[in-house]
Amino acid sequence: MEEVTLKELWKSYNQKVEENLVLNQKNASDISKMKVNSLLSSMKPMKVFALIVGAIWVIAIGSMIINLFVYAYHKVSLFFLYSAAIQVLLTLLAIGVYIYQLTLIHNVDIDEPILSTQEKLARLKTSTLWVTRLLFLQLPVWTTFYLPRSVFVNGNTMFLLFQGIITLTFSLVAIWLFLNIKYENRNKKWFRLIFNSKEWLPILKSMELLEQIDDYKENKKIISREHRRE
Amino acid sequence: MQQEEQQKIFQNILEQHKGILFKVARTYCRDEEDRQDLIQEIMIQIWQSLHKYNDKFQITTWLYRISLNVAISHYRKRKVRKDKFITLKENFTQISAADSSEKEQLLLQLERFISELKEMDKALVLLYLENKNYNEISEILGITVSNVSTKVGRIKEKLKRRFTQNK
């Protein structure tokens, strides 16, 4: 089909559609009276809430850990001390992701060009994966924080072996998931299995969109390279 | 801007450019309920962005940016709505039926082929078919004119191939 025919076909039909379109004035006027959130502002309260809860947690547990490190290092279980410290550090990183998301929400402008707006929106959605990766990375510390200081002195060999296998398995799984939960693996079976439920759909869609955006950007690079060569 | 004056401008924009909203919704949603949902979302965003409108851009550029941005990020929220915002007159289907059926068939095919495209490509092909020049498309999408030209060329080839396969 030729270019002109394609455009003419579209034009002839659209002309008729435009002539026959009816705007419901009452509904349109109702829109201006609606008290609704903008596209992204509805996401803000949840992020701010997570940020505040996370900050309170980090301040409370963090200051307790610092105190224990300084004043009671030889009295408390080192398993608890280091496990809690790792957990607080990872929570701190998750807070960083929430701050990044709130900055993106603040910077998204719906009347800006499509490519830049969609990139910000897609990055905002896919950054949720970072929080998930950090959550998985906390797995091993939940298998160690309760161990007493004396476990290696008085613990029996079977218990130590069992504990060691559990902690090692959790550590390997956590590191593997942390490294592999990424855009490139979105089509793998295990990935689809973890992110199967409906609430992950926007994130998976955003990943696809980022691929398209990259493709448009890649095109940009190829063209500028060709221009430079000329 | 006074609320009343803003409302008047809003209604005028919608009345004059309702076709943009309808066509964007038709390009991104096949289902009528989804389409009405999307049209409402676009109208809300236009209303909320009205005070920011910068007249260094054409009003159509601004409307396409908002409509396409909303359409691409609209992930089937499916709040079933009874209200219709933009519709076709009831006798429209009769007018269409009287038309040459071959043209109708070709148009249906074209719509189907467009629906198979990826989100960004749909935006590009819609703007191209709407006879926007490469400069306008570049302003709406935020890519260079040469990039627009390359991409349009590829999509045209793709559509041409689909029509040939379907013969």
Side-chain angles (χ1 to χ4, degrees):
Chain A
M1 174 162 285
E2 293 310 311
E3 182 180 348
V4 183
T5 330
L6 209 64
K7 277 194 176 177
E8 270 173 9
L9 182 68
W10 187 261
K11 200 175 154 192
S12 67
Y13 182 72
N14 268 335
Q15 216 165 353
K16 259 186 286 166
V17 168
E18 290 249 18
E19 283 163 12
N20 285 282
L21 276 180
V22 185
L23 172 74
N24 188 327
Q25 293 283 355
K26 196 198 161 292
N27 286 346
S29 129
D30 286 348
I31 295 267
S32 58
K33 289 168 198 143
M34 278 166 87
K35 293 263 177 274
V36 285
N37 285 321
S38 68
L39 198 67
L40 290 173
S41 53
S42 58
M43 289 170 86
K44 256 189 201 168
M46 200 55 217
K47 307 268 177 216
V48 173
F49 177 73
L51 189 71
I52 292 169
V53 172
I56 292 171
W57 175 262
V58 168
I59 291 167
I61 308 293
S63 50
M64 185 189 84
I65 292 167
I66 292 169
N67 264 316
L68 290 174
F69 259 107
V70 177
Y71 301 111
Y73 188 77
H74 296 291
K75 289 178 200 155
V76 291
S77 160
L78 292 184
F79 287 106
F80 171 77
L81 208 53
Y82 283 100
S83 301
I86 290 169
Q87 202 278 338
V88 166
L89 277 177
L90 292 173
T91 310
L92 203 61
L93 288 176
I95 288 176
V97 177
Y98 283 120
I99 292 172
Y100 167 71
Q101 289 184 327
L102 283 167
T103 317
L104 277 178
I105 291 174
H106 182 72
N107 287 333
V108 169
D109 217 335
I110 207 74
D111 60 1
E112 289 284 304
I114 315 297
L115 203 73
S116 60
T117 305
Q118 289 307 317
E119 186 172 13
K120 282 179 201 153
L121 284 171
R123 295 221 177 276
L124 171 67
K125 294 209 170 87
T126 51
S127 61
T128 304
L129 278 186
W130 263 99
V131 179
T132 318
R133 291 168 79 185
L134 291 170
L135 277 176
F136 277 124
L137 211 52
Q138 292 182 6
L139 276 177
V141 299
W142 295 105
T143 69
T144 53
F145 79 96
Y146 51 83
L147 296 173
R149 187 180 258 269
S150 57
V151 72
F152 283 103
V153 185
N154 306 324
N156 73 51
T157 322
M158 278 311 284
F159 173 77
L160 283 177
L161 193 68
F162 179 73
Q163 179 64 46
I165 290 171
I166 294 284
T167 305
L168 188 71
T169 312
F170 272 65
S171 304
L172 290 176
V173 170
I175 293 168
W176 190 85
L177 284 172
F178 180 77
L179 295 175
N180 285 287
I181 294 177
K182 57 185 177 186
Y183 177 48
E184 291 79 6
N185 290 329
R186 70 202 178 282
N187 292 322
K188 301 252 169 80
K189 229 178 179 177
W190 63 266
F191 191 98
R192 295 264 164 191
L193 202 71
I194 298 176
F195 302 103
N196 192 26
S197 60
K198 257 190 204 161
E199 60 265 32
W200 291 104
L201 192 69
I203 293 166
L204 295 178
K205 278 224 155 214
S206 298
M207 287 178 150
E208 283 166 24
L209 197 63
L210 273 179
E211 196 178 41
Q212 291 176 44
I213 291 168
D214 282 347
D215 179 41
Y216 270 70
K217 280 184 168 172
E218 194 54 38
N219 218 17
K220 218 186 231 177
K221 279 183 211 154
I222 293 167
I223 288 163
S224 55
R225 241 182 275 144
E226 279 168 3
H227 275 287
R228 271 203 302 272
R229 254 183 245 147
E230 284 165 13
Chain B
M1 213 187 291
Q2 293 291 312
Q3 173 89 358
E4 229 171 84
E5 192 191 341
Q6 203 169 351
Q7 262 180 10
K8 212 181 258 175
I9 295 171
F10 178 60
Q11 299 253 14
N12 279 342
I13 291 175
L14 291 182
E15 189 54 61
Q16 279 175 42
H17 302 285
K18 54 186 183 288
I20 293 180
L21 276 66
F22 181 81
K23 278 177 263 181
V24 168
R26 200 177 60 173
T27 305
Y28 283 87
C29 300
R30 304 288 281 171
D31 179 80
E32 175 60 24
E33 269 174 10
D34 279 345
R35 210 176 283 172
Q36 287 300 326
D37 208 26
L38 177 57
I39 288 174
Q40 192 207 33
E41 188 63 45
I42 295 172
M43 285 162 90
I44 292 171
Q45 297 305 321
I46 292 172
W47 169 250
Q48 290 185 335
S49 306
L50 199 58
H51 66 284
K52 289 188 293 175
Y53 172 63
N54 181 347
D55 58 12
K56 81 172 183 186
F57 294 113
Q58 285 182 41
I59 187 82
T60 51
T61 301
W62 183 74
L63 284 173
Y64 270 116
R65 279 182 177 180
I66 295 179
S67 309
L68 289 168
N69 267 326
V70 176
I72 295 172
S73 22
H74 188 75
Y75 297 119
R76 307 282 178 280
K77 289 179 202 153
R78 268 206 99 88
K79 294 170 249 164
V80 180
R81 297 187 188 285
K82 288 186 186 97
D83 302 337
K84 298 220 169 178
F85 295 85
I86 294 170
T87 42
L88 287 165
K89 283 178 191 163
E90 274 172 24
N91 62 353
F92 178 75
T93 42
Q94 290 153 20
I95 303 168
S96 300
D99 233 14
S100 69
S101 60
E102 194 198 355
K103 224 177 189 181
E104 281 288 300
Q105 284 304 313
L106 283 172
L107 197 88
L108 281 173
Q109 273 182 14
L110 179 60
E111 280 195 310
R112 185 157 54 85
F113 298 154
I114 292 174
S115 74
E116 291 166 4
L117 294 173
K118 291 175 178 171
E119 275 83 355
M120 291 297 293
D121 291 347
K122 275 184 193 165
L124 187 69
V125 85
L126 174 70
L127 296 169
Y128 163 76
L129 289 172
E130 284 291 300
N131 228 3
K132 298 277 154 206
N133 63 45
Y134 285 179
N135 272 323
E136 281 177 278
I137 299 180
S138 139
E139 270 186 357
I140 295 168
L141 294 184
I143 57 177
T144 60
V145 176
S146 46
N147 200 356
V148 172
S149 141
T150 318
K151 279 279 170 192
V152 166
R154 279 186 203 159
I155 296 173
K156 266 190 322 201
E157 274 305 307
K158 206 185 265 182
L159 288 175
K160 219 186 276 179
R161 259 203 314 275
R162 290 292 281 121
F163 272 107
T164 323
Q165 283 166 0
N166 232 53
K167 264 185 185 172

